[in-house]
Amino acid sequence: MAPLAEIGLLLYPGAQLGAVHGLSDLFSVANLLMTRRLADAAPRIRVSHWRGREDGGGAARVFDTDPGAPGEPDFIIMPPAVIAPITAEEAAPLADWLRERHARGATLASVCAGAFLLGETGLLEGRAATTHWFYANDFAERFPAVRMDADKLVIDDGDLITAGGLMAWTDLGLRLVDRLLGPTAMLETARFLLVDPPGREQRHYSAFSPRLRHGDAAILKVQHWLQASGGRDATLDAMARKAGLEPRTFLRRFQKATGLKPTAYCQHLRVGKAREMLETTTRSVDQIAWDVGYADPGAFRRVFLKVTGLGPRAYRQRFGLLAVREAAPPEEA
């Protein structure tokens, strides 16, 4: 059976090989457990390693669990650095290659100081990101247009994912297993490896994972814009202009590429950001509604219930941090 998706691990100068091999083993364990449970019907993850070319022309495969198979990575992970973050000069050729992969639909992810290589792509500008607390100030000085949030262990922004601590590759790896193989596979993998599953993956309601590998460049451009802006000011006319298409043509192509109408897509995007705030902050539901672009809190509650199956208050009680649940003021669901 062909693999469900390919995850590429980038061996940039100074990358921590322990994390590269650990992630490779984690995905292999997930595949093994899926095969034992579902036999020939089991989906699986293809794993590859990539190293920068000596001539500076991007990166080439140096390891592949499916050698000779066609395709390119759906996800590219930049692991931690062993001693110090990559320099801008070292990063330049790889940053170009990463931007090209992202433009073709790949999701980019970093761990710890790997965020510096992701930062050099320019794709994080205006977006939230995390890295190891030790490097947070250096990152903020080097990339002032990025909203650094070193308090977060993982920030999953759809097409860009950043993980903080040196060992946060386990959290990132489990998050990707959850995305690709589902929560049961994620929990089985965590149990097998004797590591704690990340809290967000234990929810009963999956995070929004947009389709990005559909091959429609005009629609992908709009998706990247929506992800960066949080879906604000995302009128049909604005999205069609961004795509360079007539509204009727845009609607047809957007639904074909993403599986959702633009309105539903933006609702999922906003609810995803609201979930994060409900899980990790004490902000009121009304404040969160405003933050994610809803002027009417009642409309936000209805959309949240439709997407997740829970009201915002019930969601916070079930999935919020203990301190958040204790501190949150009572309010209507």
Side-chain angles (χ1 to χ4, degrees):
M1 176 178 289
L4 177 69
E6 178 181 350
I7 297 178
L9 301 164
L10 185 55
L11 306 175
Y12 63 87
Q16 185 191 60
L17 295 181
V20 172
H21 296 307
L23 281 163
S24 300
D25 289 343
L26 186 152
F27 298 133
S28 295
V29 166
N31 285 338
L32 172 65
L33 295 174
M34 286 294 288
T35 300
R36 287 188 173 183
R37 183 155 54 89
L38 299 176
D40 292 340
R44 63 186 179 85
I45 296 169
R46 176 183 181 182
V47 181
S48 55
H49 298 176
W50 296 73
R51 190 185 300 277
R53 298 179 185 273
E54 293 184 2
D55 60 4
R61 293 178 194 271
V62 294
F63 170 79
D64 192 349
T65 57
D66 292 73
E72 59 183 37
D74 300 280
F75 297 83
I76 300 174
I77 299 176
M78 286 143 271
V82 175
I83 298 176
I86 192 170
T87 66
E89 182 179 3
E90 290 174 321
L94 291 173
D96 290 339
W97 181 78
L98 288 166
R99 277 192 296 270
E100 292 172 2
R101 304 284 85 69
H102 180 261
R104 289 177 4 204
T107 296
L108 306 183
S110 67
V111 183
C112 190
F116 285 78
L117 176 51
L118 184 54
E120 289 294 341
T121 67
L123 296 169
L124 283 172
E125 292 188 5
R127 310 275 286 267
T130 189
T131 188
H132 194 292
W133 60 264
F134 184 81
Y135 295 121
N137 289 338
D138 291 340
F139 186 95
E141 291 178 6
R142 186 161 156 183
F143 306 105
V146 181
R147 292 183 284 114
M148 170 50 53
D149 186 353
D151 291 335
K152 299 284 181 64
L153 183 61
V154 177
I155 295 179
D156 185 344
D157 208 16
D159 58 329
L160 301 174
I161 309 172
T162 52
L166 189 66
M167 296 300 293
W169 59 263
T170 59
D171 299 89
L172 174 63
L174 291 172
R175 183 173 295 262
L176 295 184
V177 170
D178 181 62
R179 265 204 194 193
L180 297 172
L181 303 180
T184 299
M186 182 277 295
L187 289 169
E188 287 180 347
T189 303
R191 189 178 301 116
F192 183 92
L193 296 173
L194 299 180
V195 297
D196 292 331
R200 283 171 57 89
E201 277 76 17
Q202 293 186 71
R203 65 176 110 202
H204 297 159
Y205 306 94
S206 297
F208 178 46
S209 299
R211 292 185 195 171
L212 300 171
R213 300 286 292 182
H214 45 66
D216 191 326
I219 300 304
L220 183 60
K221 180 180 179 182
V222 174
Q223 289 178 272
H224 287 162
W225 173 63
L226 291 173
Q227 202 74 46
S229 65
R232 289 181 175 275
D233 303 318
T235 64
L236 175 59
D237 287 343
M239 288 186 280
R241 283 196 302 272
K242 181 67 69 172
L245 300 170
E246 292 294 324
R248 185 186 296 267
T249 303
F250 169 76
L251 276 172
R252 175 176 54 80
R253 285 173 56 175
F254 189 94
Q255 187 164 5
K256 180 181 178 182
T258 68
L260 293 169
K261 294 180 179 179
T263 299
Y265 188 97
C266 290
Q267 287 176 345
H268 280 277
L269 193 62
R270 291 176 177 180
V271 166
K273 292 183 180 296
R275 284 177 169 182
E276 182 80 24
M277 285 185 268
L278 286 166
E279 292 170 17
T280 60
T281 77
T282 58
R283 295 178 67 80
S284 71
V285 171
D286 287 3
Q287 289 173 320
I288 290 173
W290 180 264
D291 287 344
V292 299
Y294 285 91
D296 180 358
F300 166 72
R301 285 180 169 85
R302 289 192 292 275
V303 170
F304 194 95
L305 179 61
K306 177 183 176 183
V307 171
T308 69
L310 292 170
R313 181 170 178 268
Y315 184 90
R316 172 173 271 164
Q317 289 175 332
R318 182 173 296 188
F319 300 113
L321 300 176
L322 178 61
V324 170
R325 292 199 298 269
E326 291 175 344
E331 52 193 325
E332 295 181 1

